[in-house]
Amino acid sequence: MTTLAYLIPVALFLGALGLGGFLWALKSGQYEDLDGAAERILIDREDKLGRQPSAGEITEPRPSRP
Amino acid sequence: MSCCAPGAEMALDLVNTGSVLPSSQEIRLASRSLGDDLHQTDLSVPAVHCAACIQAIETALGKLDQVESARVNLSTKRVAVRWRGNQVPLFVAALGRLGYEAHLFDPEVDNRDKTLSELIRAVAVAGFAAGNIMLLSVSVWSGAEGATRDLFHWVSALIAIPALAFAGGIFFRSAWNALRHGRMNMDVPIAVGVSLAYAMSLYETINHGDHAYFDASVSLLFFLLIGRTLDHVMRERARTAVKGLSQLAARGAMVLRSDGTRDYLPVGEIEPGMLLLIAAGERIPVDGKIIQGTSDLDCSLVSGESTPRNVAPGGPVQAGVLNLTGSLTIEATAAAKDSFLAEMVRLMEAAEGGRAHYRRIADRVSALYAPVVHLTAFVTFLGWMAATGDWHRAITIAIAVLIITCPCALGLAVPIVQVVAARRLFENGIMVKDGSAMERLATIDTAVFDKTGTLTLGQPRLVNAGSIDPGMLAIAGDMAAHSRHPFSKAIAGFAAPSGQRKFDAVTEHPGFGIEATVAGSIWRLGRRGWAGWKARTGGEGKHGYGGTVLTRDGFIVATFDFEDAPRADAKAAIGQLSDAGVSVQMLSGDTAGACGEVAEMLGVDDFVPCLLPSGKVECIETQAKDGHKVLMVGDGLNDTPALSAAHVSIAPATAADIGRNAADFVFLRESLLAVPLALDVSRKAGHLIRQNIAIAIVYNAVAVPIAILGHVTPLIAAIAMSASSLLVIGNALRLQSSIPSSPAKNVRRDSRSDITRLARFS
């Protein structure tokens, strides 16, 4: 019985960690381009030119217009 | 581009010669400011398809001055370019050099899918909650008692609260919305069942009861949300693909001010009386009158005519027409909102009323289902009250009935079949815009085809190549390579340009043809009366009457006959439709003679020629009044109202943008066999949906009596619900095997060639 007192919170915490991870990945746009992600693994990044933005950063629509 | 199919580079080169890059003003107009002098432009690049493409594009664009970053999205085939400064970097040209045709993509039409991310978040939360509560529930079922059971129930209650509030919100909102408008939908029993179950379980928990239904209410939400998400994903996926394919409408035009200055204005700001400069290859943005210049116009999108129309000063032009050969100055006679294009949109909206009456099968079932469920639960409550007088027991059993009948399998039954069917169609090059389209397609008994661009390819094809002297054909081919006229393209496509001949000068005479001088003699390719100025130009001469000719110093040396080629498999497709019990009809804006020829060639029994867009709508509405369910297959702008008026509609990917938006299905390959295939898959899917609904009903017929008799424990409810859901999913997957997959395995290459052809059109 006493083991339950910490097993349940631990189980819930780990589950919530997974959930939080998923929601974070979703929000940061990692599911925006699944086909692209599958292909990008083949790209050699040695001669990287400048900073490559993350997927979410650039596909996020901004309301402001000129 | 080493990864691409052999020959693809050449095809792309061919496309590039025919396309016109968007001007930098147009790009500026389409880009949006991110503040801090930073702009983002979204381009649609249909040819991107592999890692090498991504790398080539990102590296090349990244090297350009002022370009901050470029990011390819392979799923949507788009490139987002961020750049600084006032000068627009030449990224479209850079992409062109790499062999990728880029179109401007309007981010305004692309309001990102908020609902989907909300649904996915809801599924995640509901899944997390359902999993944890189920763990605790299993412990209770396997014998936890007393204080332990109460603790587990309390923990379950705590986990369920956020799940219900967040994931259940979707159902509560929808149910409330329906009730407020005096309607009933599937969400009403869900919302009532879930919240009652939660309240009852809480009461039980407080009073140290044996059973709590937290697991049932949360896992119910989980399953239903999966169904809803699948439904949404299917519609959205097809929609973005359709949007990304191409952009046709002119975004703006160069306006010539009275003081001689030139301004690039967006379409919305063009007013009647303004003078517009339209270069060859541009689309005309608004209705107008030609002030200066002669040219050929491609009106196929507007009128369905396949032959280009020759225009001169004083002639009227309509919005959406493509200017082919010469530059024009036109005076706008109507603002964009009053133009021909806008007129089409209005006709379309008016026609769409007919389709709005269609109710999805899931809605029809739930309209019957929801009252029955509530009534059963209520009667059960009254029955147990009368029999035992124990209100607590009566309520518990009534809630058990409500939960076990909750349309869990029903919620999955329809979307899962539609997703599987849509995937099947997608593999065969057909995109479905929404699930109800498949339901509607399954019921049709009449198919109406447009002629130009649908039954035929809408591109002229040289038919007498065999009888032309190969030497002359080669000369004609070299000359034709200098022009964008559809006839020139047809000749150039036939006689691969040798490129060896040296022309001293090549000039295009808009509306007439091409003139070239070689070693002192003048060669002309074009209109008979113009090219053959020394030859007999009228009557049945040696080379036939009219048509396009090649002349040397005014004497005709070769004649070219063109014909609009029927789409691949058109005849077979019509045969298959007839076999499936569908009567086939052809409606066209073209002349009776042209229609008769095509109808005879393809075995269409019935056709109506010379129709205006409104005439097509009338034809379809008359048939609908006679009780027929009409499928419309068409591509042009002139077909768009008819596409909306029909019960269900299909458009080829080469169709006008607005046509693709109006159609329920879009097929990407050239073959018209897509139409019978879509019909076949839809009918099979309809069959499976009915089966699934039957399964759900049988499940209820078995489970409800058990619940009414009061034998349902949470364990039984959980097992029954999961089993019915799995059964429904399993049944839907049968569709995968029942339809033959595409005959050729080279799906990728097919879609590529289609995309290049599409690009040529736009």
Side-chain angles (χ1 to χ4, degrees):
Chain A
M1 185 65 193
T2 45
T3 47
L4 287 176
Y6 57 87
L7 274 183
I8 290 177
V10 164
L12 285 178
F13 173 73
L14 289 177
L17 213 61
L19 180 68
F22 175 74
L23 292 179
W24 168 79
L26 190 71
K27 194 164 188 293
S28 67
Q30 305 209 12
Y31 294 94
E32 292 288 316
D33 182 16
L34 291 176
D35 294 349
E39 298 276 357
R40 270 172 203 279
I41 195 167
L42 301 170
I43 299 177
D44 202 3
R45 284 282 179 204
E46 269 175 312
D47 52 348
K48 186 165 141 184
L49 285 148
R51 191 185 66 98
Q52 289 288 337
S54 82
E57 202 178 327
I58 201 145
T59 47
E60 202 79 48
R62 307 288 155 108
S64 62
R65 306 194 113 254
Chain B
M1 292 288 287
S2 56
C3 57
C4 301
E9 290 88 343
M10 225 188 95
L12 284 166
D13 285 347
L14 210 84
V15 169
N16 285 341
T17 56
S19 74
V20 181
L21 301 175
S23 63
S24 55
Q25 292 103 322
E26 202 165 352
I27 294 174
R28 169 172 288 286
L29 212 59
S31 65
R32 55 208 156 97
S33 170
L34 303 177
D36 200 21
D37 203 25
L38 195 63
H39 300 272
Q40 180 168 334
T41 305
D42 292 282
L43 299 169
S44 167
V45 187
V48 180
H49 75 286
C50 63
C53 301
I54 296 177
Q55 192 173 23
I57 290 176
E58 287 183 355
T59 323
L61 294 188
K63 274 183 191 154
L64 291 177
D65 287 345
Q66 296 172 329
V67 171
E68 187 84 354
S69 61
R71 175 98 189 173
V72 176
N73 185 325
L74 190 66
S75 313
T76 49
K77 304 211 184 292
R78 268 180 230 155
V79 182
V81 189
R82 288 182 164 192
W83 48 278
R84 284 186 188 283
N86 296 319
Q87 201 70 29
V88 179
L90 299 168
F91 42 77
V92 179
L95 283 174
R97 274 197 300 280
L98 288 173
Y100 295 98
E101 171 136 3
H103 307 276
L104 280 174
F105 180 81
D106 197 345
E108 241 174 349
V109 294
D110 174 43
N111 37 8
R112 205 163 59 132
D113 195 0
K114 293 255 167 25
T115 330
L116 180 65
S117 30
E118 195 191 339
L119 277 172
I120 290 181
R121 253 176 242 138
V123 169
V125 171
F128 163 76
N132 283 298
I133 293 177
M134 204 54 92
L135 272 179
L136 296 168
S137 301
V138 168
S139 321
V140 174
W141 300 335
S142 55
E145 277 186 348
T148 319
R149 185 188 59 209
D150 281 354
L151 172 70
F152 285 175
H153 280 169
W154 275 115
V155 175
S156 299
L158 284 179
I159 300 172
I161 288 176
L164 285 190
F166 187 73
I170 290 167
F171 297 98
F172 292 132
R173 275 198 298 276
S174 160
W176 171 240
N177 208 20
L179 284 180
R180 212 177 38 184
H181 292 94
R183 285 184 291 111
M184 201 59 163
N185 64 8
M186 197 106 101
D187 296 333
V188 176
I190 295 167
V192 171
V194 165
S195 41
L196 266 185
Y198 186 81
M200 189 66 204
S201 308
L202 207 58
Y203 176 84
E204 286 286 313
T205 307
I206 293 168
N207 292 304
H208 312 289
D210 288 341
H211 297 308
Y213 294 96
F214 296 115
D215 51 342
S217 62
V218 176
S219 59
L220 182 71
L221 283 183
F222 181 49
F223 275 116
L224 286 167
L225 281 169
I226 292 176
R228 194 144 306 190
T229 312
L230 288 177
D231 198 42
H232 192 86
V233 161
M234 187 198 71
R235 296 190 216 179
E236 203 49 39
R237 182 160 186 131
R239 213 173 294 147
T240 52
V242 171
K243 271 193 297 197
L245 274 172
S246 132
Q247 300 272 304
L248 273 184
R251 202 173 298 274
M254 190 64 84
V255 173
L256 188 65
R257 302 273 191 200
S258 50
D259 57 1
T261 55
R262 292 170 180 205
D263 252 340
Y264 194 86
L265 288 186
V267 169
E269 289 176 25
I270 294 173
E271 282 161 17
M274 285 183 170
L275 289 183
L276 311 178
L277 300 172
I278 313 285
E282 275 185 0
R283 223 161 254 286
I284 291 171
V286 293
D287 292 355
K289 195 174 74 181
I290 298 176
I291 300 295
Q292 207 185 339
T294 51
S295 177
D296 290 294
L297 300 181
D298 178 355
C299 306
S300 56
L301 282 175
V302 173
S303 64
E305 270 174 68
S306 45
T307 334
R309 187 158 61 96
N310 177 228
V311 288
V317 287
Q318 284 162 319
V321 165
L322 185 65
N323 180 19
L324 287 172
T325 44
S327 59
L328 293 173
T329 307
I330 67 165
E331 185 189 332
T333 53
K337 62 177 169 49
D338 305 318
S339 73
F340 177 78
L341 273 165
E343 176 66 29
M344 285 296 108
V345 172
R346 266 197 295 280
L347 259 176
M348 204 173 97
E349 280 166 358
E352 237 160 26
R355 199 184 287 173
H357 291 304
Y358 185 82
R359 298 183 64 218
R360 292 162 49 115
I361 194 163
D363 294 339
R364 275 180 282 163
V365 171
S366 66
L368 290 173
Y369 194 85
V372 171
V373 167
H374 287 127
L375 207 65
T376 316
F378 189 59
V379 169
T380 309
F381 171 70
L382 290 183
W384 277 92
M385 271 303 269
T388 62
D390 180 357
W391 70 270
H392 175 251
R393 193 163 176 204
I395 285 188
T396 312
I397 292 171
I399 289 173
V401 170
L402 212 51
I403 287 179
I404 211 152
T405 52
C406 253
C408 186
L410 213 55
L412 277 171
V414 179
I416 186 90
V417 174
Q418 285 172 347
V419 166
V420 174
R423 162 121 209 118
R424 202 88 199 114
L425 287 175
F426 196 78
E427 281 165 10
N428 285 285
I430 305 164
M431 293 188 294
V432 188
K433 288 202 6 215
D434 93 70
S436 82
M438 274 192 271
E439 291 173 18
R440 282 182 273 132
L441 184 59
T443 61
I444 59 145
D445 59 1
T446 309
V448 174
F449 285 85
D450 164 54
K451 186 178 77 72
T452 317
T454 309
L455 284 176
T456 67
L457 284 172
Q459 291 164 297
R461 198 179 55 127
L462 189 59
V463 285
N464 66 337
S467 62
I468 299 171
D469 177 0
M472 295 300 145
L473 190 60
I475 295 175
D478 285 344
M479 287 171 71
H482 292 88
S483 165
R484 259 200 299 271
H485 194 285
F487 285 176
S488 301
K489 279 193 201 165
I491 294 175
F494 224 96
S498 55
Q500 291 165 350
R501 213 168 306 275
K502 289 277 180 289
F503 294 119
D504 296 332
V506 181
T507 45
E508 184 162 6
H509 298 263
F512 297 106
I514 311 158
E515 184 178 273
T517 48
V518 185
S521 49
I522 298 169
W523 293 79
R524 280 182 176 181
L525 176 67
R527 214 167 279 273
R528 171 181 283 258
W530 168 77
W533 75 94
K534 283 179 186 164
R536 284 178 300 161
T537 53
E540 281 292 327
K542 190 173 139 211
H543 291 282
Y545 183 82
T548 303
V549 296
L550 176 69
T551 64
R552 179 183 184 174
D553 294 330
F555 292 103
I556 297 173
V557 290
T559 316
F560 301 93
D561 290 332
F562 297 95
E563 183 189 85
D564 197 0
R567 200 172 267 273
D569 303 321
K571 197 181 167 106
I574 288 170
Q576 285 187 17
L577 283 176
S578 306
D579 290 345
V582 175
S583 65
V584 179
Q585 201 186 20
M586 184 168 90
L587 302 181
S588 178
D590 219 339
T591 58
C595 288
E597 234 171 75
V598 173
E600 196 184 347
M601 187 161 49
L602 300 177
V604 180
D605 343 305
D606 194 9
F607 66 87
V608 188
C610 307
L611 285 174
L612 292 172
S614 54
K616 291 189 180 182
V617 174
E618 265 170 46
C619 265
I620 287 172
E621 279 173 353
T622 325
Q623 299 202 33
K625 275 202 194 95
D626 295 344
H628 291 294
K629 299 262 199 282
V630 183
L631 159 72
M632 170 80 198
V633 189
D635 74 318
L637 203 53
N638 59 330
D639 297 318
T640 311
L643 288 171
S644 310
H647 190 57
V648 57
S649 49
I650 304 184
T654 48
D657 231 17
I658 189 166
R660 286 202 305 268
N661 283 334
D664 297 306
F665 293 83
V666 175
F667 62 95
L668 297 169
R669 317 243 175 99
E670 197 174 279
S671 169
L672 210 56
L673 281 177
V675 177
L677 180 79
L679 178 65
D680 186 41
V681 172
S682 298
R683 283 191 174 167
K684 284 197 173 113
H687 196 64
L688 280 175
I689 285 174
R690 260 175 224 106
Q691 267 181 16
N692 272 350
I693 289 174
I695 290 176
I697 289 172
V698 167
Y699 151 77
N700 279 324
V702 175
V704 168
I706 300 174
I708 290 177
L709 294 176
H711 293 304
V712 172
T713 59
L715 179 63
I716 292 179
I719 290 173
M721 246 165 21
S722 308
S724 69
S725 297
L726 290 178
L727 204 60
V728 162
I729 293 171
N731 194 38
L733 292 178
R734 292 199 307 136
L735 189 69
Q736 289 278 28
S737 51
S738 68
I739 292 154
S741 68
S742 56
K745 269 284 154 213
N746 52 354
V747 176
R748 275 246 153 136
R749 190 160 327 160
D750 276 8
S751 61
R752 270 190 67 76
S753 70
D754 282 323
I755 286 166
T756 45
R757 191 158 42 76
L758 185 74
R760 198 175 314 162
F761 259 74
S762 46

